[in-house]
């Protein structure tokens, strides 16, 4: 399984970005897809997750109401729409995949390389 994240960049506070994660090399019907982020000097933390069917979504408290996770099964792609960005959202964002139930723990089976998001004040 390979995961390719893209869509990061440098934006100002209040702006929006959409991250994409293209998955390949597997059958994903039983997978949960997640986004995590890691700020400089800090650990990797959960942002959002979605069941492959799209029926269930999960968010960290810090992003609820601002970020939306979605997927396009036909394209094997998961998106993270990030609105009202804040400087504290600055981090490297990683997409991840695991079989079974969603979890906020970074115990996912597969990880992409990450994409940098920088939000200036």
């Amino acid at each position: 399984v390979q995961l390719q994240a893209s869509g990061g960049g440098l934006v100002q506070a209040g702006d929006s970005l959409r991250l994409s994660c293209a998955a390949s090399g597997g059958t994903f019907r039983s997978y949960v897809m997640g986004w995590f982020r890691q700020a400089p000097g800090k650990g990797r933390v959960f942002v959002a997750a979605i069941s492959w069917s799209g029926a269930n979504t999960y968010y960290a408290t810090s992003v609820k109401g601002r970020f939306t996770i979605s997927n396009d099964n036909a394209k094997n792609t998961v998106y993270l729409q990030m609105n009202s960005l804040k400087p504290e959202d600055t981090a490297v964002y990683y997409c991840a995949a695991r079989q079974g139930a969603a979890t906020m723990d970074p115990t996912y089976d597969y990880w992409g390389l990450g994409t940098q998001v920088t939000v200036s004040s």
Side-chain angles (χ1 to χ4, degrees):
V1 173
Q2 293 82 43
L3 303 174
Q4 179 65 53
S6 61
L10 171 62
V11 297
Q12 293 187 328
D15 285 350
S16 298
L17 274 177
R18 188 177 79 158
L19 305 184
S20 299
C21 175
S24 62
T27 302
F28 300 101
R29 279 176 293 179
S30 62
Y31 277 70
V32 169
M33 304 297 293
W35 286 97
F36 288 75
R37 65 187 182 187
Q38 187 167 15
K42 296 188 177 181
R44 196 168 295 189
V45 298
F46 173 78
V47 176
I50 187 169
S51 58
W52 193 253
S53 68
N56 299 297
T57 57
Y58 312 85
Y59 295 95
T61 303
S62 59
V63 307
K64 196 173 294 184
R66 299 189 298 123
F67 291 11
T68 302
I69 190 169
S70 62
N71 61 355
D72 184 336
N73 290 346
K75 296 182 178 179
N76 281 356
T77 300
V78 177
Y79 303 99
L80 185 67
Q81 177 66 43
M82 306 186 295
N83 299 330
S84 303
L85 281 162
K86 304 175 181 180
E88 51 263 42
D89 294 318
T90 295
V92 177
Y93 283 71
Y94 297 89
C95 63
R98 74 187 305 267
Q99 290 183 300
T103 175
M104 293 188 289
D105 294 327
T107 55
Y108 282 58
D109 301 313
Y110 305 100
W111 293 84
L113 289 180
T115 184
Q116 176 71 48
V117 172
T118 303
V119 185
S120 64
S121 58

